[in-house]
Amino acid sequence: MPRYEYRCRTCGSTFEVSRPMAESSAPADCPSGHDDTVKLLSAVAVGGTTSAPAAGGGGGGGCCGGGCCG
């Protein structure tokens, strides 16, 4: 189940709530009981596998076409 991060505007605390995606925009109460909260925008990192370049070079690369690799 996805976790969403919220910040309480009243006390300033940050907290997470696990809920279905269908309820992602529903309001969330602060653990201290306040109801003036805002959902924070989260960046999600997705991992994967990369393949090594062919022997002898040949372009490619795992980051933006190899432009940021030495």
Side-chain angles (χ1 to χ4, degrees):
M1 189 169 311
R3 296 179 64 87
Y4 299 95
E5 191 173 21
Y6 293 84
R7 184 177 53 83
C8 178
R9 292 180 182 173
T10 303
C11 67
S13 68
T14 301
F15 59 98
E16 293 183 346
V17 176
S18 295
R19 56 173 47 162
M21 291 178 73
E23 298 175 16
S24 66
S25 60
D29 288 339
C30 167
S32 298
H34 307 122
D35 61 0
D36 188 11
T37 60
V38 62
K39 187 170 102 172
L40 301 177
L41 182 61
S42 300
V44 177
V46 178
T49 59
T50 59
S51 58
C63 55
C64 305
C68 58
C69 300

